[in-house]
Amino acid sequence: MPRPPVQRLIEVMSVPFNFATAIEAGLNDAAQALGLDTAPFAPEVHTADPRHGDFQANGVLPYAKRTKQNPRALAEKVIAALPSTITTNFDVTIAGPGFLNFTLQIPALERWLTTYDTEELLRTGATSAQPEAGKTFVVDYSSPNTAKQMHVGHLRSIVIGEAICRLLDFSGAKVIRDNHIGDWGTGFGKLIWAYKRQLNSNALATDPLEEFERLYKVGNSAADADESVLENAREELVKLQAGDEENLSIWRRINEVSLAAFQKLYDQFGVTFDHTLGESFYNDKVPQVYQELTDIGLAAESQGALVVFHPDHPRFNEQPFIIRKSDGAANYASTDLATLLYRTEQFKADASIYVIDSRQGDHCQQLFLTAAKWFEKTNRRLPRLEHTSFGTVLGENGKPLKTRSGENIKLRDLLAEATERAATLVGQKSTNLSPQEQASVAAVVGVGSVQYADLCQNRSSDYVFSWDKMISLEGNTAAYQLYAVARIHSIFRTLETSPTEPTAFAAADGLETTTEIALARKLAKFPEGLRGAVSQLRPHALGLYLYELAGEFSAFYNNDKVAVPEANIRARRLRLCARTLLILETGLHLMGLRTLQRM
Ligand code: ARG
């Protein structure tokens, strides 16, 4: 009989999910009991070098110095005042001048392993007492311009944005995925001009974005060569903006077709948006922005344009934030301001996260500064605003990645090449699979490799795109991780049981070998890998953890035979396999990857 879920949850809550935060809380309790709050005490808990235990707390020393006490004596007092949540889980010792070392006791590790045994329970643990829990995060990512194909420059926003959404969601946030497409540019004038004259319907049917790009080029060079064409294109744009039915329907068609083409790529990445509200959606919402910003004296006319300066900023005191162009048209800034208001009022956003490349740093800073003043003056609550920026994907030559002939690499072609290259690897490694199975494995490995290679970089840096490094079984790659997952599944298949079958572990006894214990300790550090990634919206912290976990698993697997005749040993090792699998799969799914049972 399964136990009632409430009972189970109460049990779960009695086992700390995140040992580092439990130590922090325990130290804060001890500090309070000792009256250390007179001069603020910060626990400063870090993951320790494994030789010194699991965690180290450094806060006693600076506190003792500040308050002129003997650090070791104070450390002893703190240890004596620690609550049972700590003393029942850790051995605590004093190191050096007054650092505290915490080593997880084996029964605590075992409790953790038997408690957090499903993805749902990991989520329960990850959700409890997190600052993100219950908050609404609008994540603005991908957000390409329509009428053009996505290229390699569009990769990172999709991949990083999706991982961030999943990480936030797993931490209990309400996530709203908003694809803020650029569907209202001035380029539509030339495009409509050419569309009306040179549309190739066959090309439109087979490859619409290619056709729109061609038409745009046609319109552009015709306008360059002939002043009257340029004039006509301008008229087409004015007509569009004034709501001319014919132009609007062409424009709608272009956007619809663009989105359908984008969706094919999103499908490959497993991305679904809750909203795709383009710049055009905010068209009728910008006048309110002009009005309010002018009324509060934040925006003023300058050479016909409406601009915002920030006298308190060293650069934006002179570099204007143009929110209405001199021809009266709205721009990127006006729509972004209107968008933020909309997200605040309609989505009740507690946070608005912009996953945009670092070159738009100024735009974001000016947007955030302007919004902060605007919201303050109008008594609105400002959501947390964050530009989750990222660097550029470089070629081996250190310059932005291009084709040999210097063109942008289309994202579609990049994913096709990834799948093709993965097929070669899979063909060598997965010889037991049928050709069809190999092909579907290759698709998962190919796209996953591109995603994972991107996510394992600190997003702030540029990185060099290398097929050989990315699609490989060596190093921290998707293929390495996915094969580890499939290998664990195959262990269970061979032993004719399942990782989710509790009876498989019923006979398990205490952890014994060094490699078993090392693996268990690594497993129980998952919450910190996760926290590192969520707190800074940096997925690579989780990627690094997963790599270390896979490494500990290999060491364990090479050292400790699982299929032994002794039921107790087999069961406890199988349990370690099952938990490794659970955490690897959960982690990889959080990074946006699909995993496979058989490879
Ligand atoms: N469409 C823009 C571009 O391609 C990115 C939009 C990002 N989101 C935003 N709210 N500004 O550069």
Side-chain angles (χ1 to χ4, degrees), residues 140 143-145 180 182 332 336 354 356 360:
D140 177 327
S143 308
N145 297 332
H180 187 77
Y332 194 47
D336 253 334
Y354 299 81
I356 320 180
Q360 293 195 26

Side-chain angles (χ1 to χ4, degrees), residues 429-430 432-433 481-499 553 557 562-563 570 574 577-578 581 584-585 596-599:
K429 282 281 149 193
S430 305
N432 52 328
L433 300 185
Q481 298 285 14
L482 293 173
Y483 273 101
V485 165
R487 182 173 327 115
I488 303 178
H489 276 292
S490 91
I491 296 171
F492 283 90
R493 277 197 301 273
T494 312
L495 297 178
E496 293 176 352
T497 177
S498 141
F553 181 77
Y557 193 65
V562 176
R570 178 200 288 230
L574 267 181
C577 292
L581 179 64
L584 282 179
E585 285 190 324
L596 298 156
Q597 305 216 349
R598 219 180 268 274
M599 281 174 81

Side-chain angles (χ1 to χ4, degrees), residues 140-146 154 157 178-183 279 332 335-336 339 343 354-357 360 363-364 367:
D140 177 327
Y141 69 112
S142 185
S143 308
N145 297 332
T146 56
H154 293 96
S157 181
D178 189 0
N179 192 4
H180 187 77
I181 52 166
D183 60 354
E279 290 171 20
Y332 194 47
T335 45
D336 253 334
T339 302
R343 288 177 182 163
Y354 299 81
V355 189
I356 320 180
D357 91 59
Q360 293 195 26
H363 170 76
C364 288
L367 173 67

